[in-house]
């Protein structure tokens, strides 16, 4: 079964990036306990002060799908919606490399 | 000192993605021995059959900079240039999360 990955780009309203980063780091902490989550890394863009990127790698698309129904991460994301202007996703198939 | 990260998008000429992925996976193997390299993951785009993305995380911008002068990874990349149509980069500051 092949791994599944994503880059998720969050574009926030002006001045709201830090608040969203704080929330996403809390979600990332929960991922320590989630089956199949191999990477959930929060990054801020160096070029654009309203942009965060989340790097995700999952053992399969199924484990990622299952995580979407987790109540607590859903609550966090719903609470953050007022901070978020737009979300974009790049879907990936990780082939391998150093660190996963 | 803050970590440094990048998403590097390689757009290949038609039918050349697999060959470039093979080369990048060899470069990734070398990163096991490179100081400060925490992540060097090769991904193929699910949407676009000519696109590869490399996810990089370094302990600092300096360790990344130092790696660019490594002869063997330079040789690999130079040998791959005929496969590559275009390269784009997203520069990131990793804030933390699960897996790094």
């Amino acid at each position: 079964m092949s791994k599944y990955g994503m880059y998720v780009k969050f574009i926030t309203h002006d001045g709201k990036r830090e608040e969203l980063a704080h929330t996403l780091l809390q979600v990332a902490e929960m991922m320590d306990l989630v089956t199949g989550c191999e990477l959930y890394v929060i990054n801020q863009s160096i070029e654009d002060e309203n942009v965060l990127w989340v790097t995700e790698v999952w053992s399969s698309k199924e484990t990622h799908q299952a995580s979407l129904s987790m109540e607590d991460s859903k609550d966090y994301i719903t609470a953050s919606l007022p901070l978020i202007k737009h979300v974009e996703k790049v879907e990936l198939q990780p082939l391998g490399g150093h660190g996963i």
Side-chain angles (χ1 to χ4, degrees), chain A:
Chain A
M1 200 174 353
S2 56
K3 292 183 194 286
Y4 176 71
M6 280 198 303
Y7 298 150
V8 184
K9 180 179 183 179
F10 290 91
I11 300 150
T12 67
H13 294 292
D14 287 346
K16 297 297 182 187
R17 178 166 80 169
E18 206 169 328
E19 195 177 338
L20 181 60
H22 179 72
T23 300
L24 291 173
L25 284 165
Q26 291 175 302
V27 173
E29 246 176 67
M30 289 190 286
M31 293 301 169
D32 289 347
L33 309 171
V34 175
T35 309
C37 183
E38 299 184 10
L39 270 186
Y40 195 96
V41 178
I42 317 307
N43 307 275
Q44 62 186 25
S45 165
I46 289 177
E47 287 121 16
D48 186 330
E49 63 185 12
N50 289 328
V51 170
L52 291 170
W53 287 88
V54 178
T55 307
E56 298 187 36
V57 170
W58 295 83
S59 53
S60 67
K61 193 159 189 176
E62 291 70 26
T63 52
H64 169 252
Q65 210 60 38
S67 76
L68 298 179
S69 56
M70 276 169 48
E71 282 312 318
D72 26 11
S73 66
K74 265 163 63 175
D75 294 345
Y76 272 107
I77 301 289
T78 312
S80 312
L81 289 179
L83 310 174
I84 301 166
K85 199 189 285 185
H86 183 60
V87 180
E88 294 169 18
K89 286 182 190 170
V90 178
E91 284 194 277
L92 304 167
Q93 183 190 341
L95 302 176
H98 172 67
I100 58 163

